[in-house]
Every structure is written in structure tokens, then in C-alpha cells.
């Protein structure tokens, strides 16, 4: 029996409860917890995009046609391979569509079951802070409590206490499960996609007589998937902490978010045109930098998914220009507007209906409701990220403008961006 087994925590019950409560919120706080981050930056399109993009680039998978709720016909390969028999043509299209379904099923399973903080609601979540045994959990809490009493000054602020717990206890403790999540991506998920590619190759050889081009693409896709898995696995590396002050401007913070999306979605090659008021282009506090980076990622990701110009097999339409304005609003507000053209293939009435649904969720403060959802949540997540001081729907507006463009506008006070007192 160790010293920790005999240590009476009751004398320090308040501090122990505070550490445990801090840990719980570190994992599950709706806006700032680890699971919320996984929701906005991994589950919300990123994991799917990392693995789907290379397969789309090789024309191996298609998307679901909203009008039929079936996968689109893979016109590229059906027209590229010489098949005169209509039955063989239908069989090839069937196996290609089944492959698309199998990939989406694998990714949906990863997103809905595994890429979560483990909890009662997500028992298969790969990321956990706590030992499975309750005795070991209490021993861990005692270790943290004693360390806090020894090393943290009695004059520490609550902010310093939270930072100490996060950097000294929580992130190091998460290292093993984060490694497990990275291994899930590189071995389990990538392995199953490899198996699916091999099955597809076997079926293609069975159906078609001269499928060399398609088989070459299937084989090359295996290396693409390995590269994607390596990239995604790095998302689960614990953060490196520094004490840097403000170093990036607002414009640069948005540009980094755009670059993050382009790394994930190489098809997002559109031109961005800026109109910047120098007074609005302030230096960001590190916390605000992360928020602005997330905001840019969400807004531009929304354009990628819903503008209609970046479909996997779409051709013929030029990439639209995206306009971004940084405006100064007296006395101490900065307004950002992002506007993009909507493709003529998109149903404007459906977009407007989705906008109204998102606005109602924001008005009601239903930010927690999107945490487990995968689709049609970007604008609500955006409002949640910017919801300083429970400002709700007062700081963001979005919708169709001029019948053919989509605009997102948000305004935040200087102190939110710079960290300086009001």
C-alpha cells in the first residue's frame, strides 16, 4: 500500500473537488472543452475531408445526390474504361458506389463513435483523462492535489490555477490516449480503407477486361491514404506551450485559418480579395488568435461545403472570388465580413431554410445541441466560438444577399481580440 492510498483527502476536499471539476470542464465544457474542440476542428468535416479528398482526386468515390439520395454515377471511370456491355457497365458503377458507401460508413463510424472524449454518452470515445479503475482515479486526484499544494503559490489567481492544472496535469495525463487515437487513425482506419481499396481492385478486375488506369489509381490511392493518416495523426499531438504575447494580426490569423483549410482541402484554390481598415487589423492575444483561426476555418469550410463550386467531380465553373472586409466600428468594435458567390446549381430556398434553422438555434442558445452532430452545424459552431459574455445572436449575422451571394458578418470588441482590459 502506497502513501497515496493512506492519504486523507477530506481535509483538502474543497481543493480536490475544484481540481476534479476543472478536469471535467477541461474535457467537456461546451465552448472551450477538449470535446468541443474535437467537434469543431476534427469531427466537423476535417477528418472526413482528409481521407475523402485524395479518393475524390483519384475519382474513386462520388457523393450522394440530394435529389435521389443515392450516390452519383461515377461518370469519369465509366467513360474511361472500354465497356460495351450494359450489364458490365452497371456492375462497375455498383461496385464503385458500394466503395463510396463503405468509405463514408467508416468515416461516419470514426466520427460518431471514436473521435470523442470518453463519457457515459460516448463509451467508445478514444480520449480519456481518467483510469478505468475508481481507486486509481482517486490516487491520481491525490497526486494532483498534493502537487498543487506544494508547487502552486497561495496567491495564485483562478486563471493561474486553471493553467497550472491544464499544463501540469491534464495534458500530460492525456498523452497515452491521444497516442491511441493517433494509432487508431494510422492503423485501424487507414487499414480498413486499404482493405476496401484491395476489395475494389479485385471487383474491378472481375468485371472489366482492361481496367489498368483504374487499377493504377486504386494502387496510388493507398499511398495517399497513408499520407492522409500520418497528417491526421499529428492532430492528436499534445500542444506545446509558450508564453508568447500578441504576435499575429487579425488578417494573418484569418489567413492561417484559410491555409489550414487548403491543406485539408487542396481543391479550395479560390482567390481571396481583402479590404482592410488598418485600425481594425489589431494584434491578437494568443487566446483570441485560436478563436479567430477557428472562426476562419469554419466560415471558409462552410463556403467549401455549401457554395457548390468545390464538388468532387464538378467541372466547368470557375472558382469564385471570396471577399473579406475588416472594418473599424466606433468606439471600440471590429467587424469582419466574408462574402462568396453561390453556384447556380444550388437551391437558394434550401439555403435560406437552413439559415433560418441555424439562426433559431443561435437565438435559443442551443450551442450544446450541435456537439455530436456532423452536418449543418458550422454556423451554429461559429456563433458558439464568438459567444463572448453570452452575447448570443447579437454579434453575428449571415444569409443570402443580392440573390446569389452568401455573407457572414461578425463584430467583436477590441478587448476580445487583444486581451486588453475594457
Amino acid at each position: 500500500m502506497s502513501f497515496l492510498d493512506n492519504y486523507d483527502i477530506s481535509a483538502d476536499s474543497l481543493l480536490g473537488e475544484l481540481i476534479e471539476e476543472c478536469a471535467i470542464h477541461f474535457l467537456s465544457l461546451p465552448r472551450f472543452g477538449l470535446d468541443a474542440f474535437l467537434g469543431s476542428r476534427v469531427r466537423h468535416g476535417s477528418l472526413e475531408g482528409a481521407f475523402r479528398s485524395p479518393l475524390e482526386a483519384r475519382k474513386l468515390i462520388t457523393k450522394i445526390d440530394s435529389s435521389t439520395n443515392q450516390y452519383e454515377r461515377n461518370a469519369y471511370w465509366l467513360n474511361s474504361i472500354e465497356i460495351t456491355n450494359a450489364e458490365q457497365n452497371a456492375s462497375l458503377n455498383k461496385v464503385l458506389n458500394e466503395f463510396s458507401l463503405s468509405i463514408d460508413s467508416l468515416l461516419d463510424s470514426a466520427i460518431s463513435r471514436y473521435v470523442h472524449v470518453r463519457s457515459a454518452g460516448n463509451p467508445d470515445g478514444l480520449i480519456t483523462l481518467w483510469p478505468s479503475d475508481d481507486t486509481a482515479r482517486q490516487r491520481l486526484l491525490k497526486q494532483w492535489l498534493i502537487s498543487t499544494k506544494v508547487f502552486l503559490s497561495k496567491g495564485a489567481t483562478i486563471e493561474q490555477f486553471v493553467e497550472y492544472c491544464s499544463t501540469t496535469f491534464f495534458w500530460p495525463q492525456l498523452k497515452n490516449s491521444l497516442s491511441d487515437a493517433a494509432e487508431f487513425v494510422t492503423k485501424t482506419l487507414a487499414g480498413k480503407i486499404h482493405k476496401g481499396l484491395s476489395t475494389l481492385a479485385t471487383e474491378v478486375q472481375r468485371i472489366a477486361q482492361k481496367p489498368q488506369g483504374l487499377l493504377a489509381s486504386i494502387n496510388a490511392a493507398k499511398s495517399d491514404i497513408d499520407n492522409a493518416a500520418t497528417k491526421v495523426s499529428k492532430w492528436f499531438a499534445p500542444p506545446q506551450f509558450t508564453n508568447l504575447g500578441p504576435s499575429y494580426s487579425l488578417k494573418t490569423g484569418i489567413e492561417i485559418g484559410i491555409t489550414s483549410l487548403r491543406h485539408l482541402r487542396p481543391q479550395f484554390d479560390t482567390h481571396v480579395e481583402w479590404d482592410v481598415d488598418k485600425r481594425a487589423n489589431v494584434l491578437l492575444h494568443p487566446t483570441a488568435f485560436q478563436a479567430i483561426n477557428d472562426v476562419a476555418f469554419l466560415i471558409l469550410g462552410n463556403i467549401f461545403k455549401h457554395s457548390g463550386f468545390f464538388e468532387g467531380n464538378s467541372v466547368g465553373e470557375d472558382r469564385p472570388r471570396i471577399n473579406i472586409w475588416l472594418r473599424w466600428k466606433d468606439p471600440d468594435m471590429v467587424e469582419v465580413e466574408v462574402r462568396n458567390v453561390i453556384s447556380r446549381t444550388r437551391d437558394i430556398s434550401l439555403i435560406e431554410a437552413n439559415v433560418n434553422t441555424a439562426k433559431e438555434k443561435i437565438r435559443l442558445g442551443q450551442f450544446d445541441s450541435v456537439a455530436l452532430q456532423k452536418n449543418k452545424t458550422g454556423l451554429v459552431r461559429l456563433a458558439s466560438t464568438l459567444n463572448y459574455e453570452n452575447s448570443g445572436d447579437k454579434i453575428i449575422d449571415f444569409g443570402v444577399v443580392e440573390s446569389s451571394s452568401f455573407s457572414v458578418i461578425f463584430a467583436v470588441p477590441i478587448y476580445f481580440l487583444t486581451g486588453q482590459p475594457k
Side-chain angles (χ1 to χ4, degrees), residues 82-384:
E82 295 181 9
I83 297 180
T84 55
N85 185 304
E87 184 177 341
Q88 287 181 323
N89 189 283
S91 295
L92 181 59
N93 186 60
K94 181 182 178 182
V95 299
L96 288 167
N97 283 356
E98 287 175 345
F99 178 66
S100 295
L101 173 61
S102 70
I103 293 301
D104 284 339
S105 297
L106 283 172
L107 296 176
D108 286 346
S109 176
I111 292 166
S112 63
R113 293 182 60 188
Y114 300 113
V115 185
H116 289 266
V117 170
R118 191 175 304 160
S119 65
N122 292 287
D124 295 325
L126 293 169
I127 298 168
T128 180
L129 186 65
W130 306 112
S132 57
D133 178 70
D134 189 62
T135 301
R137 174 171 173 151
Q138 291 304 312
R139 188 181 295 116
L140 180 64
L141 281 170
K142 290 176 182 179
Q143 288 177 337
W144 291 349
L145 188 151
I146 293 169
S147 178
T148 302
K149 291 181 67 177
V150 171
F151 295 109
L152 192 64
S153 166
K154 292 182 178 180
T157 64
I158 189 64
E159 289 83 3
Q160 290 169 329
F161 168 78
V162 171
E163 182 179 4
Y164 177 78
C165 289
S166 299
T167 57
T168 309
F169 304 144
F170 306 156
W171 282 117
Q173 180 66 21
L174 280 168
K175 184 176 180 180
N176 288 337
S177 68
L178 289 172
S179 295
D180 290 343
E183 186 172 304
F184 167 81
V185 168
T186 56
K187 293 186 178 180
T188 304
L189 185 56
K192 288 181 178 179
I193 295 176
H194 267 255
K195 184 177 179 180
L197 286 164
S198 296
T199 300
L200 176 62
T202 300
E203 288 296 300
V204 166
Q205 288 176 302
R206 179 181 63 82
I207 295 169
Q209 293 181 340
K210 295 181 180 180
Q212 286 80 4
L214 176 51
L215 291 174
S217 288
I218 293 172
N219 189 56
K222 293 180 179 180
S223 295
D224 296 340
I225 291 301
D226 287 339
N227 291 335
T230 299
K231 178 168 61 177
V232 171
S233 70
K234 294 177 181 178
W235 298 351
F236 298 96
Q240 302 297 314
F241 297 97
T242 63
N243 293 317
L244 296 176
S247 56
Y248 294 109
S249 69
L250 175 58
K251 180 174 182 286
T252 301
I254 296 172
E255 287 175 326
I256 292 173
I258 295 171
T259 300
S260 297
L261 180 63
R262 283 176 171 162
H263 285 163
L264 184 65
R265 295 286 198 177
Q267 311 98 301
F268 192 71
D269 54 1
T270 189
H271 174 68
V272 178
E273 187 170 299
W274 293 85
D275 187 338
V276 179
D277 184 325
K278 291 182 179 179
R279 295 173 296 172
N281 194 27
V282 297
L283 286 178
L284 299 173
H285 183 271
T287 302
F289 165 75
Q290 183 61 59
I292 290 299
N293 186 266
D294 288 347
V295 163
F297 187 88
L298 286 167
I299 293 176
L300 277 298
N302 199 61
I303 293 173
F304 178 86
K305 290 185 71 173
H306 301 298
S307 68
F309 289 99
F310 303 96
E311 301 296 341
N313 293 315
S314 65
V315 294
E317 288 193 273
D318 293 333
R319 296 292 192 248
R321 182 178 68 246
I322 295 173
N323 292 91
I324 302 179
W325 291 268
L326 306 185
R327 305 183 183 109
W328 176 265
K329 296 291 183 180
D330 289 327
D332 60 355
M333 298 287 286
V334 171
E335 182 181 87
V336 178
E337 180 178 4
V338 181
R339 185 179 296 195
N340 66 280
V341 176
I342 302 169
S343 170
R344 290 169 294 179
T345 64
R346 282 293 189 257
D347 183 342
I348 297 296
S349 62
L350 181 60
I351 293 175
E352 290 175 332
N354 290 334
V355 163
N356 291 334
T357 299
K359 285 185 174 181
E360 182 64 9
K361 287 186 177 181
I362 294 168
R363 187 186 70 81
L364 296 174
Q366 295 177 346
F367 301 129
D368 294 0
S369 67
V370 304
L372 302 180
Q373 297 177 24
K374 172 186 168 185
N375 296 316
K376 299 180 181 179
T377 63
L379 294 169
V380 183
R381 292 179 190 274
L382 173 63
S384 176

